[in-house]
Amino acid sequence: MNLFRAAATISSLTLLSRITGLARDIIIARTFGASALTDAFWVAFRIPNLLRRLFAEGAFTQAFVPILAEVKQTSQDTAAVRQTIDRVAMALFSALSIITLVGIIGAPLVVLAIASGLSATDRAAEYDAAVWMTRVMFPYIVCMSLVSFASGVLNTWKRFAVPAFTPVLLNLSMIAASVWLSGYVSQPIYALALGVMIGGLAQLAVQWWAISRLGLRPRLASPTDAFADKTVRRVMRQMLPATLGVSVAQISILINTNIATWLAPGSVTWLSFADRLMEFPTALIGVALGTVLLPTLAKAHADQAHDDYSRLLGWGMRLVFVLGLPAALAMIMLADGLVATLFQYGAFSAQDVYQTQLAVMAYAVGLLGLLLVKILAPGFYGKQDIKTPVKIAILVLVLTQLFNLALVPTLAHAGLALAIGLGACINALALYVGLRRRKLYQPQSGWWPFLGKLVLALAVMASAMIFIGGDIDWTAQMLASWQRAGWLALTLGGGFAGYLLTLWMLGMRPADFRRARDPF
């Protein structure tokens, strides 16, 4: 399998997802601005979203995909593979249904736990809105858990396109709800919560259709038999440390959200829009490569191909450096242009642009760390070692909160973003050291010349962006939206063109990255 082509397929479809996600947030910013009620929505949306990452995409994927790949690789019995799929699906559905029911009933307490700043008497309307939207969106967890299950099956069978495309459906649903549904509910912001649930059902329908075409759609199974199954129990045992590891990251996000609710109104929204911009490079580069690497690493582990395992990790890291460093540089240097061009319309003011810009720049400091974690963590998951990343994640959680104590009093919401970025860099470094010590990754020669070429190309890129767009006032009212977009495209295009041309002149070619090998 051509890993570069598979990663490019995922990245291109993820790009479509992120473009529609940006369009979604632009419409939300234009319609609702950055207000107390938009903060309430992002708080409510974060609760099921965090649990989705905790129980579904995060811990479940890390535990399920390597084990399913092993069963598929070693078992000669198709019935055994089908039974594993059936029973894992039933166990996941049963557990998440119970959690969803408890969440709906306990929504008032859940909102207070994640956003204690809404407990003030003068913020009762925001609190009530957050509780209502939390209850509406909690079943989204069940939908997305089954979507993650289907994605795990499809990725194991090397079908990457459909899982990468389906997030588009959520964005389209929320856009439609903002435009057409907001006028038919008592509080317009409630339309977004309804759009989330419609989008979740649409994603589930598409994923279920895809695994049905492979003949792998789960059949009804007894919950008792499912939880008694040896493979299911093995997945659950792997999920326990994985859940702890993922929960550490999610606890950090919860703490940051809670802190943000005590800051200036709009802080949660500024952070949410900045996070949306960060999702572009993290998804296009980190998630795409991590999605391809995990099942491939699991197969290399099952085949005892140790050299291939190391080369796969090296291939992923080289791509992260080549693509991630210019992305971070562009987000730091053009944060104001990106935010103003995308969001400064309607109710979203120049002050909102400034505050969001600060968060974008703070996040970008840690972008390379965020991307490397997506590559290095699968190096442990592929070996079914989840405990090591968990221990590292706990350390990072403690350090991130220490960073919050030092940074938030001075930088406010931007301090929260910077703490996350610094924590990600420490996380990546610790994972790298762990892989080296276990001899799971052995770097080939040529890394220092490779990095030297990147530094020179980045200097050319920065110079080009300063020359083209250095004097532009991106928030000026005299600039029409099309003028902002044109200057932004020209500045980014000129910078990246200079970067790529410099790498070409230094002898670097796309063919160097088409296979998981070390070209040096």
Side-chain angles (χ1 to χ4, degrees):
M1 180 184 64
N2 188 320
L3 293 183
F4 185 82
R5 183 177 299 171
T9 299
I10 296 172
S11 187
S12 60
L13 290 172
T14 304
L15 175 61
L16 177 62
S17 168
R18 293 308 181 259
I19 289 173
T20 55
L22 267 178
R24 177 196 81 185
D25 288 351
I26 289 169
I27 291 173
I28 292 173
R30 179 190 288 267
T31 306
F32 305 106
S35 66
L37 283 176
T38 56
D39 281 359
F41 167 74
W42 292 116
V43 165
F45 186 42
R46 185 154 292 176
I47 294 168
N49 223 20
L50 291 179
L51 290 175
R52 168 181 63 82
R53 294 175 182 175
L54 178 61
F55 293 109
E57 292 181 355
F60 175 74
T61 300
Q62 295 163 12
F64 177 57
V65 171
I67 291 176
L68 180 61
E70 180 183 304
V71 172
K72 178 176 179 286
Q73 188 74 11
T74 59
S75 177
Q76 301 299 320
D77 185 4
T78 305
V81 177
R82 287 301 310 267
Q83 179 175 284
T84 297
I85 291 174
D86 295 343
R87 292 183 173 178
V88 170
M90 178 53 68
L92 184 67
F93 174 75
S94 301
L96 269 296
S97 295
I98 294 172
I99 291 172
T100 297
L101 180 60
V102 172
I104 291 173
I105 295 172
L109 296 177
V110 173
V111 171
L112 283 178
I114 191 176
S116 59
L118 299 183
S119 61
T121 55
D122 60 340
R123 305 186 74 177
E126 301 162 49
Y127 171 74
D128 291 340
V131 169
W132 190 92
M133 289 186 284
T134 297
R135 283 177 166 153
V136 169
M137 290 188 286
F138 233 102
Y140 178 72
I141 302 169
V142 177
C143 292
M144 297 313 297
S145 298
L146 295 177
V147 166
S148 296
F149 164 83
S151 296
V153 174
L154 291 169
N155 289 339
T156 303
W157 265 258
K158 305 297 186 291
R159 303 294 196 275
F160 299 111
V162 171
F165 168 76
T166 48
V168 172
L169 300 175
L170 173 66
N171 297 327
L172 294 178
S173 176
M174 293 178 69
I175 289 172
S178 299
V179 174
W180 291 297
L181 190 59
S182 58
Y184 296 93
V185 290
S186 59
Q187 179 57 255
I189 199 73
Y190 290 171
L192 291 176
L194 297 172
V196 168
M197 276 309 306
I198 295 170
L201 291 170
Q203 291 180 81
L204 178 58
V206 171
Q207 295 272 48
W208 230 239
W209 167 79
I211 59 173
S212 296
R213 290 192 63 189
L214 289 176
L216 298 173
R217 179 172 57 85
R219 298 162 297 190
L220 290 176
S222 165
T224 303
D225 291 341
F227 284 105
D229 185 86
K230 292 182 179 180
T231 305
V232 172
R233 290 192 172 191
R234 187 178 167 200
V235 172
M236 291 173 63
R237 284 195 300 270
Q238 288 288 80
M239 279 189 68
L240 289 176
T243 300
L244 178 59
V246 176
S247 67
V248 169
Q250 305 313 312
I251 288 170
S252 181
I253 294 175
L254 287 175
I255 293 173
N256 283 6
T257 301
N258 209 331
I259 295 172
T261 62
W262 290 98
L263 300 176
S267 294
V268 177
T269 302
W270 298 327
L271 285 170
S272 296
F273 285 163
D275 186 61
R276 164 59 61 185
L277 286 176
M278 288 298 296
E279 284 183 1
F280 257 86
T282 54
L284 296 179
I285 304 169
V287 173
L289 291 174
T291 300
V292 170
L293 279 176
L294 182 54
T296 310
L297 288 169
K299 183 180 183 300
H301 171 62
D303 293 340
Q304 297 295 307
H306 304 298
D307 290 341
D308 287 346
Y309 202 93
S310 180
R311 281 194 293 269
L312 283 164
L313 289 171
W315 171 79
M317 282 191 283
R318 287 195 306 275
L319 276 175
V320 162
F321 274 92
V322 168
L323 301 175
L325 285 174
L329 180 64
M331 298 194 78
I332 291 173
M333 294 186 64
L334 287 176
D336 52 349
L338 287 166
V339 176
T341 302
L342 294 171
F343 300 122
Q344 193 184 354
Y345 308 101
F348 202 83
S349 66
Q351 176 65 13
D352 293 326
V353 171
Y354 174 71
Q355 299 292 352
T356 306
Q357 165 197 345
L358 294 177
V360 171
M361 295 173 70
Y363 272 133
V365 170
L367 177 59
L368 188 63
L370 290 168
L371 294 174
L372 285 172
V373 168
K374 302 291 185 182
I375 303 302
L376 298 172
F380 291 96
Y381 304 146
K383 292 283 186 179
Q384 299 182 26
D385 175 8
I386 298 179
K387 293 182 180 179
T388 300
V390 167
K391 295 175 183 177
I392 293 172
I394 292 173
L395 171 64
V396 170
L397 172 63
V398 175
L399 292 175
T400 299
Q401 300 319 310
L402 292 176
F403 289 143
N404 280 339
L405 288 174
L407 298 172
V408 172
T410 303
L411 301 177
H413 67 288
L416 295 171
L418 183 57
I420 290 176
L422 294 175
C425 292
I426 295 173
N427 194 351
L429 179 61
L431 289 170
Y432 176 80
V433 171
L435 289 170
R436 291 293 308 275
R437 286 182 176 176
R438 288 162 177 76
K439 297 184 178 179
L440 298 177
Y441 171 64
Q442 296 295 323
Q444 301 294 317
S445 62
W447 266 97
W448 288 114
F450 169 74
L451 293 176
K453 294 176 183 178
L454 294 185
V455 170
L456 182 57
L458 290 170
V460 173
M461 175 181 173
S463 300
M465 288 193 296
I466 292 172
F467 177 77
I468 298 171
D471 295 329
I472 297 175
D473 182 359
W474 295 99
T475 61
Q477 295 298 322
M478 65 186 69
L479 283 178
S481 58
W482 65 269
Q483 290 176 311
R484 281 188 191 139
W487 275 111
L488 181 64
L490 184 62
T491 305
L492 283 173
F496 278 109
Y499 175 78
L500 295 175
L501 180 61
T502 303
L503 291 181
W504 180 274
M505 294 174 64
L506 293 173
M508 201 173 293
R509 300 290 184 268
D512 295 336
F513 302 94
R514 285 177 183 164
R515 294 193 300 276
R517 61 182 179 86
D518 200 305
F520 306 124

